[in-house]
Amino acid sequence: MSAPVKSGKSPKWAMLIDTTKCVGCLACVAACHNQNELPVTEFFNRVEEQEFGRFPNYNRRFLPMQCQHCDNPPCVSVCPTGASYKRSDGIVAIDTQRCIGCKYCILSCPYKARIINKEHGFVHKCGFCAVLLHNNALPACVGTCPTGVRVFGDLNDPNSEISKLAASKKVVQIGKDLNTKPSIYYIIG
């Protein structure tokens, strides 16, 4: 997989997750955990197992969840110190030096994507692997997926794979009714 290519203007990073391809292997969770050097009990990325239907037409699917990097992030507006902020490229980030650990952002996040670092007392979460992006590489969860569940790229580039898929497939945003305007799009099978 190649790294995302930026369009001529500032990128708007986003991800598309195709649940029809997810087998629940948790490679994305392990890659994220490893990339971010998280303690064994902390996770930025999780895979929820959903069961639906009635016997004998019963089924299940796997739903990868993480920070949705919202365009209207409630976690930013409640932060009393400005530690939570939205970058110009669409990434919702945290300045851990400014975080006082009040947990307002944790309570305001409808996606349960923020966690407290128990050792240091600050809040942290998925950052779309900004360090890897800076080095022109894909986020760890995208690069490690064996079934191609995740597509990452610049929505401001109409020729990017994510822009084409988002335009051609039936995609949904989790919690769209909350007006958070997530930057993660799903194909739900």
Side-chain angles (χ1 to χ4, degrees):
M1 252 183 208
S2 62
V5 177
K6 297 180 188 179
S7 63
K9 57 185 173 180
S10 180
K12 165 63 170 98
W13 297 125
M15 187 178 293
L16 183 135
I17 297 175
D18 186 345
T19 65
T20 66
K21 296 180 178 180
C22 186
V23 295
C25 70
L26 306 180
C28 56
V29 175
C32 174
H33 202 266
N34 185 54
Q35 174 64 33
N36 293 289
E37 299 178 350
L38 296 172
V40 70
T41 58
E42 294 179 14
F43 298 92
F44 292 166
N45 192 335
R46 67 187 188 277
V47 177
E48 296 178 0
E49 189 174 335
Q50 298 178 331
E51 299 171 345
F52 58 96
R54 298 183 77 163
F55 183 80
N57 299 317
Y58 172 81
N59 211 335
R60 68 180 173 164
R61 71 176 149 243
F62 299 101
L63 183 68
M65 290 292 292
Q66 65 194 61
C67 175
Q68 301 288 302
H69 296 280
C70 305
D71 283 339
N72 185 23
C75 55
V76 169
S77 61
V78 300
C79 181
T81 66
S84 290
Y85 63 99
K86 184 153 182 72
R87 295 174 16 160
S88 63
D89 61 4
I91 294 175
V92 176
I94 301 171
D95 180 344
T96 58
Q97 299 298 310
R98 295 180 73 182
C99 179
I100 58 173
C102 68
K103 302 179 188 172
Y104 289 159
C105 61
I106 291 174
L107 295 172
S108 72
C109 177
Y111 305 102
K112 299 178 179 139
R114 290 172 167 247
I115 56 175
I116 190 89
N117 179 291
K118 293 179 180 136
E119 182 180 349
H120 301 290
F122 57 75
V123 174
H124 57 165
K125 62 170 203 63
C126 164
F128 270 166
C129 290
V131 172
L132 293 177
L133 289 178
H134 181 73
N135 292 313
N136 206 30
L138 290 168
C141 62
V142 176
T144 195
C145 181
T147 59
V149 169
R150 297 166 183 263
V151 175
F152 184 83
D154 179 4
L155 279 180
N156 283 340
D157 178 1
N159 295 316
S160 68
E161 183 181 6
I162 190 167
S163 291
K164 290 176 182 177
L165 285 171
S168 67
K169 303 280 185 182
K170 184 179 176 185
V171 297
V172 297
Q173 294 165 297
I174 305 292
K176 185 177 181 179
D177 58 323
L178 301 172
N179 196 33
T180 59
K181 300 178 182 169
S183 292
I184 296 188
Y185 299 83
Y186 288 87
I187 296 172
I188 305 290

